[in-house]
Amino acid sequence: MDLILWRHADAEDGVPDLERKLTKKGRKQAARVAEWLLERLPDDFVVLASPAARARETAQALGVKIKAVDQLAPGAAVKKILQAADWPDGEGTVIVVGHQPDLGTSAAHLCGVTAGWSIKKGGLWWFEHAHPVEVRAVISPDLL
């Protein structure tokens, strides 16, 4: 199983938090990362997104069906994120589009580190379930 943790791209400020949309910069970030992903993803993958508008918009840049999952909302615990993705027992490739610090903490956890890491807006970590877990890629939209 492969797990991709993709932080939502740059979003507007404001409240209510779940209604914040991507900025013009965020839409460009999401498009760049989506293009990079689509060149590398297998034909069959699943996209799960936080119910927050900014996460759903980021995921929509892939141009495929996405599933909004309430347990991926801002403040999601590592356990909830991994459960939503069915990690490590699931099959195929699952992309989780969510928030910081939730995804950074999850990425650190998968690497055996207790402190959380920062994932830049629009950035991602791609993990492969192996023994030990392997990091396949770490991407920032600014590098694409």
Side-chain angles (χ1 to χ4, degrees):
M1 171 181 191
D2 283 6
L3 174 62
I4 299 170
L5 302 176
W6 187 10
R7 182 180 177 191
H8 68 79
D10 189 62
E12 302 170 336
D13 291 329
V15 290
D17 184 55
L18 293 180
E19 294 178 16
R20 294 173 43 215
K21 296 184 184 222
L22 294 182
T23 62
K24 182 178 179 181
K25 176 182 178 180
R27 288 188 297 279
K28 287 180 183 178
Q29 290 173 329
R32 277 196 307 266
V33 174
E35 180 181 355
W36 183 90
L37 275 169
L38 289 169
E39 291 174 1
R40 290 158 179 83
L41 285 166
D43 292 336
D44 189 25
F45 59 92
V46 175
V47 182
L48 308 175
S50 158
R54 60 195 181 276
R56 289 183 286 115
E57 285 184 69
T58 298
Q60 288 167 350
L62 289 166
V64 299
K65 181 181 175 184
I66 64 167
K67 180 179 179 184
V69 179
D70 289 341
Q71 68 191 55
L72 298 175
V78 171
K79 182 178 179 179
K80 294 291 186 183
I81 292 169
L82 298 181
Q83 282 177 344
D86 197 21
W87 175 271
D89 300 322
E91 295 182 10
T93 300
V94 177
I95 302 171
V96 171
V97 184
H99 308 275
Q100 186 63 17
D102 315 338
L103 296 182
T105 302
S106 298
H109 171 82
L110 291 171
C111 291
V113 177
T114 55
W117 291 338
S118 178
I119 298 176
K120 289 189 170 235
K121 291 178 183 176
L124 65 80
W125 281 68
W126 187 331
F127 296 92
E128 181 177 343
H129 183 237
H131 298 286
V133 170
E134 293 181 10
V135 176
R136 293 192 59 194
V138 178
I139 298 297
S140 169
D142 299 335
L143 298 176
L144 299 176

